[in-house]
Amino acid sequence: AQKITQTQPGMFVQEKEAVTLDCTYDTSDQSYGLFWYKQPSSGEMIFLIYQGSYDEQNATEGRYSLNFQKARKSANLVISASQLGDSAMYFCAMRDHDQTGANNLFFGTGTRLTVIP
Amino acid sequence: EPEVTQTPSHQVTQMGQEVILRCVPISNHLYFYWYRQILGQKVEFLVSFYNNEISEKSEIFDDQFSVERPDGSNFTLKIRSTKLEDSAMYFCASSERLAGVEQETQYFGPGTRLLVL
C-alpha cells in the first residue's frame, strides 16, 4: 500500500521568496508517479507538476519544481518567487496502477501555504 | 483549454435520499475517477472506471455507491441512501490514453459540495 506523508500542516513565506513544501512517500513499486496539486479556497484541485519514478531529471513547470530524491523517497515541491495568489492548500499525491492501467491517486494530508505581503 | 465539468456545484439533501452527481470528463479521455474530500481532510480515492466498467474501488465505495456512464459524455456517481457522513466535496477526474498507454496526469473537475442534513 502506498503512503504519502506531508509533515507541514502550515507554512508561511514572504512574497517573492522561495518556499519548499515537503513530501515523503512509501511504496514497494518500482514504477510510480508523484504529483502536486494546488487547492485554493474556492475548492478546485489544480494540477501543478508530475515526476515519474524513472525520470532522471527533476520536473519543472514555470515557478514550480519538484526536488525528487529517490533514495530518500522524497518529492518536495519548490515554489520560487512566491506570489499572493500562491496562498492555498498543496497536496502531494502518488499514483497506483491497477490491472487495467488506470492510475488511482493517493493523497497526503496537505500543507496550507500562506504568502505574506 | 478542455476541462472537466461537474454539476451541481452544491447539493443539499436529506439523510436517506438519493443523489446523483454528474461529471463531464474531457472529451478524449478514457479513464474516469471519483474522489471525495471531507471538510478539512485529505482527498480520498473512491472508484476508477475504464471501458464501461469499474476497474478499482476503495473500501469507501460500498453498496450505496454506484457509477455509470449513461452516454458518451456524462459520468455519474449515485449515492442511494445518503448518510450524514457522506457530506463532502466530491471530485470527478479524467485522464487520457495515448498510443495504448494511460497518461499520468488526472485533471480534476471543480467538485460538487454535498451536504447531508
Side-chain angles (χ1 to χ4, degrees), chain A residues 12-116:
Chain A
F12 291 87
V13 63
Q14 202 73 41
E15 192 178 7
K16 300 180 185 177
E17 296 293 311
V19 63
T20 298
L21 307 184
D22 294 342
C23 174
T24 58
Y25 60 92
D26 184 24
T27 181
S28 55
D29 292 343
Q30 295 301 310
S31 175
Y32 51 89
L34 296 154
F35 302 79
W36 279 91
Y37 284 83
K38 172 184 178 181
Q39 187 177 44
S41 57
S42 50
E44 70 267 33
M45 294 287 286
I46 302 168
F47 166 73
L48 294 179
I49 197 166
Y50 162 77
Q51 178 86 42
S53 59
Y54 291 117
D55 294 341
E56 294 187 353
Q57 291 196 327
N58 287 342
T60 60
E61 290 285 348
R63 293 187 299 110
Y64 304 108
S65 60
L66 201 152
N67 184 1
F68 181 47
Q69 298 187 43
K70 194 170 182 177
R72 297 180 59 187
K73 293 189 175 179
S74 74
N76 299 338
L77 176 71
V78 180
I79 306 174
S80 62
S82 298
Q83 301 171 357
L84 295 179
D86 294 335
S87 293
M89 278 292 279
Y90 288 81
F91 290 97
C92 180
M94 170 182 283
R95 68 133 169 89
D96 171 32
H97 273 302
D98 67 17
Q99 292 180 350
T100 69
N103 301 314
N104 308 322
L105 291 179
F106 294 88
F107 286 81
T109 51
T111 295
R112 183 171 298 281
L113 177 68
T114 303
V115 180
I116 303 167

Side-chain angles (χ1 to χ4, degrees), chain B:
Chain B
E1 186 172 331
E3 58 184 18
V4 177
T5 59
Q6 290 185 243
T7 54
S9 58
H10 294 77
Q11 173 103 40
V12 180
T13 190
Q14 294 289 326
M15 188 170 57
Q17 295 297 303
E18 175 183 286
V19 295
I20 297 177
L21 309 183
R22 303 181 192 280
C23 169
V24 178
I26 296 173
S27 61
N28 63 334
H29 286 191
L30 297 179
Y31 295 89
F32 314 120
Y33 307 83
W34 283 102
Y35 294 84
R36 81 170 185 193
Q37 184 183 31
I38 295 171
L39 186 64
Q41 298 186 22
K42 65 179 179 181
V43 178
E44 301 173 290
F45 166 72
L46 291 179
V47 65
S48 56
F49 192 88
Y50 171 70
N51 200 24
N52 287 318
E53 60 184 18
I54 291 173
S55 54
E56 188 169 354
K57 56 185 180 181
S58 71
E59 61 273 11
I60 302 168
F61 194 87
D62 61 22
D63 291 344
Q64 70 163 340
F65 291 93
S66 62
V67 289
E68 191 178 30
R69 187 153 166 83
D71 53 44
S73 60
N74 289 284
F75 179 53
T76 62
L77 174 69
K78 181 191 290 186
I79 310 175
R80 258 179 278 281
S81 177
T82 50
K83 297 179 279 195
L84 296 177
E85 54 264 37
D86 293 328
S87 295
M89 178 80 99
Y90 288 81
F91 291 103
C92 173
S94 70
S95 58
E96 64 180 329
R97 188 177 177 92
L98 291 176
V101 177
E102 164 73 2
Q103 298 305 293
E104 296 291 346
T105 302
Q106 293 182 23
Y107 294 92
F108 281 68
T112 293
R113 191 173 295 282
L114 176 66
L115 178 61
V116 182
L117 301 176

